[in-house]
Amino acid sequence: NAGVTQTPKFRILKIGQSMTLQCTQDMNHNYMYWYRQDPGMGLKLIYYSVGAGITDKGEVPNGYNVSRSTTEDFPLRLELAAPSQTSVYFCASSLQGLLGYTFGSGTRLTVV
Amino acid sequence: TQLLEQSPQFLSIQEGENLTVYCNSSSVFSSLQWYRQEPGEGPVLLVTVVTGGEVKKLKRLTFQFGDARKDSSLHITAAQPGDTGLYLCAGTHSGGYQKVTFGIGTKLQVIP
């Protein structure tokens, strides 16, 4: 029972580079989310999806893009990496937001 | 901005002691979740409370949702080193996609 799987675990990017953070879940959850976690700031929602083909912005979407072509996958794209995007990124999924989330183990990204 | 305030932010106690952490807001929530996060990992859901005044127990952990559904507490009896971690509360708002607001967390250290 894998739950939510994120790859990679760690990544160092140079300013201006691009990358995709992968997220897949095997629980057939309709809802999926991307959060970033910074010290003293808590979890901030970047993007979310309520089902395949449907995505919407969260609190801090600038500099990121997402797609949701299948129920299982919800990749997060960084097009032009900036130092402000240095953070730990978490993907999560839920059957209903009301009931709580299942989180992945995170991607620690450093932009230098 | 709807906020969830957690207190205390840091707590260091000896093994065997009892403790309570608090989660407060001026907003009414449809439900409230508690998570525990260990270093290098994603948050893990401990409990969801839905009804005002609800009390749930998970072994040595007792969770209470305030009568007005604006606040919650987590009480740990006879803390053990394995309880060490970051405890996050999260409130789900009604309507829409069931937006969730996370607190910054309480960092607990239990010293053997």
Side-chain angles (χ1 to χ4, degrees), chain A residues 59-71:
Chain A
E59 300 173 74
V60 290
N62 291 343
Y64 308 95
N65 273 301
V66 294
S67 59
R68 183 96 182 270
S69 56
T70 66
T71 299

Side-chain angles (χ1 to χ4, degrees), chain A residues 9 31 33 35 37 40-43 45 48 50 57-59 90 96-106 108, chain B residues 1 30-33 35 37 40-45 48-50 86 88 92-93 96-100 102-104:
Chain A
K9 184 77 173 173
Y31 293 79
Y33 315 85
Y35 283 87
Q37 186 177 40
M41 299 294 291
L43 286 156
L45 181 65
Y48 68 96
V50 299
K57 297 177 181 179
E59 300 173 74
F90 289 101
Q96 295 181 36
L98 194 69
L99 300 178
Y101 296 169
T102 300
F103 282 88
S105 59
R108 182 174 292 275
Chain B
T1 303
S30 299
S31 69
L32 193 138
Q33 294 84 41
Y35 296 83
Q37 184 178 17
E41 297 296 327
V44 175
L45 181 66
T48 296
V49 286
V50 179
L86 179 68
L88 297 165
T92 303
H93 304 272
Y97 77 95
Q98 298 169 331
K99 175 185 174 182
V100 172
F102 282 86
I104 292 175

Side-chain angles (χ1 to χ4, degrees), chain B residues 66-78:
Chain B
D67 291 341
R69 292 186 288 129
K70 294 183 179 181
D71 55 86
S72 181
S73 63
L74 159 59
H75 181 78
I76 301 179
T77 304

Side-chain angles (χ1 to χ4, degrees), chain A residues 2-35:
Chain A
V4 177
T5 302
Q6 289 184 241
T7 57
K9 184 77 173 173
F10 303 95
R11 185 71 186 269
I12 298 175
L13 278 183
K14 293 184 178 179
I15 293 172
Q17 286 186 323
S18 300
M19 76 164 294
T20 299
L21 282 66
Q22 301 292 344
C23 175
T24 187
Q25 53 94 5
D26 62 359
M27 298 170 285
N28 203 33
H29 286 169
N30 281 327
Y31 293 79
M32 294 189 75
Y33 315 85
W34 275 104
Y35 283 87

